[in-house]
Amino acid sequence: MDSQETIPETESLAGGSQDLFLNPPASVRNDRTDEIIRKLDKLTGDVALLRREVAELRGKSPASAKAFNINTASCKRRFNLYLRSRFSCRPWLEVKSDDFKNEVHTCLAMDDMRTNPAAFQGMVSHSLHKFTELRNQFRRKILADKQSIPCKGLGELCYDIFHSYSKADECTLSQERMHATILLRHFLHKKRYFNDGTSASFWAEFRSFWEEIEKDGRPQKWERLEEIDKRRTERARENSGNTEE
């Protein structure tokens, strides 16, 4: 009987324990609320940080970078004039040169695109295409003038073929263009293009010849080439005069 009399007390204790979990004291409830609020605050901060990072990534995304278009860029005219000028000094683009890189960055800065890698690549692609176009035009010009080219003085020839490529504030008869003129006429004579016309491999052969001369480290090579050019010009004028007679 004594063991049976203790049952109500056990039930009473169990019931009290359940009430404690279902209805915790006010101090416990407040601690839990504070903890939840702290976690929510942290989550809110994390979400805000993620939103900022996503916004920055969108600003650097390829979709944003592709917005640059050379045909609508404010630097288009300036850059095309630069390309024509460089072509008249060396008819092959030097993409890795500091001069080219600096000009591209200066032009891109005009459209707030200086740090845009896709815009830089777009400028390179445009330049390569432009140089191909200029080479085709130049070759046609040489073919059209091939009868008069052998007889012109060096300065006259340089001015005639390169003046339209020079910028307004540049001297057409610069050392680079005078050297380019010497190399061009020397190459045309060597390949007998004055008599036979140019071939499909004209530019590949001319580049190989140009680079061969560049690598020539002999002193006064330009003076010697200029002297050879002068003698050939004099002979061409004499032959031209004899033909007219």
Side-chain angles (χ1 to χ4, degrees):
M1 288 295 295
D2 292 340
S3 61
Q4 292 179 356
E5 289 177 356
T6 62
I7 292 175
E9 292 181 6
T10 304
E11 291 176 350
S12 177
L13 287 172
S17 176
Q18 290 175 359
D19 290 341
L20 182 63
F21 282 105
L22 292 174
N23 300 295
S27 60
V28 175
R29 289 198 302 272
N30 290 338
D31 290 343
R32 288 180 179 176
T33 301
D34 291 344
E35 183 180 357
I36 292 171
I37 291 173
R38 285 195 299 273
K39 288 181 178 180
L40 287 174
D41 288 341
K42 185 177 184 304
L43 285 173
T44 302
D46 291 342
V47 170
L49 179 60
L50 285 173
R51 285 177 176 172
R52 286 196 297 272
E53 291 177 350
V54 169
E56 290 177 2
L57 288 173
R58 284 177 177 172
K60 298 177 181 178
S61 67
S64 173
K66 290 178 182 177
F68 176 79
N69 185 339
I70 183 62
N71 293 318
T72 57
S74 58
C75 65
K76 179 182 178 180
R77 184 175 183 279
R78 172 196 167 116
F79 191 58
N80 282 341
L81 289 174
Y82 165 81
L83 292 176
R84 290 179 65 84
S85 174
R86 291 314 307 156
F87 173 83
S88 65
C89 298
R90 182 185 176 86
W92 301 279
L93 185 64
E94 297 177 286
V95 176
K96 296 181 179 180
S97 71
D98 291 337
D99 180 75
F100 177 78
K101 292 178 182 178
N102 291 337
E103 181 63 23
V104 171
H105 285 310
T106 299
C107 287
L108 290 178
M110 295 170 65
D111 290 272
D112 296 325
M113 292 280 184
R114 184 181 175 87
T115 59
N116 188 325
F120 185 92
Q121 186 56 47
M123 295 285 271
V124 171
S125 298
H126 172 75
S127 302
L128 292 169
H129 175 77
K130 193 69 175 177
F131 262 59
T132 300
E133 183 181 280
L134 291 170
R135 282 195 295 271
N136 290 336
Q137 293 173 355
F138 189 78
R139 183 166 174 259
R140 289 195 295 269
K141 180 179 177 65
I142 294 301
L143 281 173
D145 297 342
K146 71 175 185 176
Q147 297 302 323
S148 64
I149 287 176
C151 301
K152 291 181 178 180
L154 182 59
E156 180 187 5
L157 179 60
C158 180
Y159 187 87
D160 285 351
I161 62 178
F162 289 134
H163 177 65
S164 62
Y165 296 92
S166 308
K167 292 191 287 188
D169 60 345
E170 289 180 331
C171 175
T172 300
L173 304 183
S174 67
Q175 185 181 72
E176 283 184 297
R177 293 187 183 89
M178 291 288 279
H179 287 175
T181 305
I182 291 173
L183 291 178
L184 173 65
R185 187 150 59 179
H186 194 88
F187 173 73
L188 292 173
H189 176 83
K190 181 179 180 180
K191 293 294 183 178
R192 302 181 62 81
Y193 282 142
F194 293 126
N195 301 323
D196 305 331
T198 62
S199 68
S201 59
F202 173 82
W203 286 109
E205 292 176 350
F206 187 25
R207 184 169 191 172
S208 178
F209 171 78
W210 184 299
E211 292 176 349
E212 180 183 342
I213 298 297
E214 279 185 327
K215 293 176 183 177
D216 186 346
R218 288 178 294 179
Q220 299 182 326
K221 69 178 178 183
W222 291 111
E223 289 81 356
R224 289 205 304 275
L225 287 172
E226 187 172 347
E227 182 60 33
I228 293 171
D229 183 82
K230 183 179 179 180
R231 291 200 300 269
R232 284 175 179 164
T233 301
E234 291 172 351
R235 286 199 300 269
R237 287 173 177 172
E238 291 174 2
N239 293 335
S240 177
N242 294 332
T243 302
E244 291 177 1
E245 293 175 1

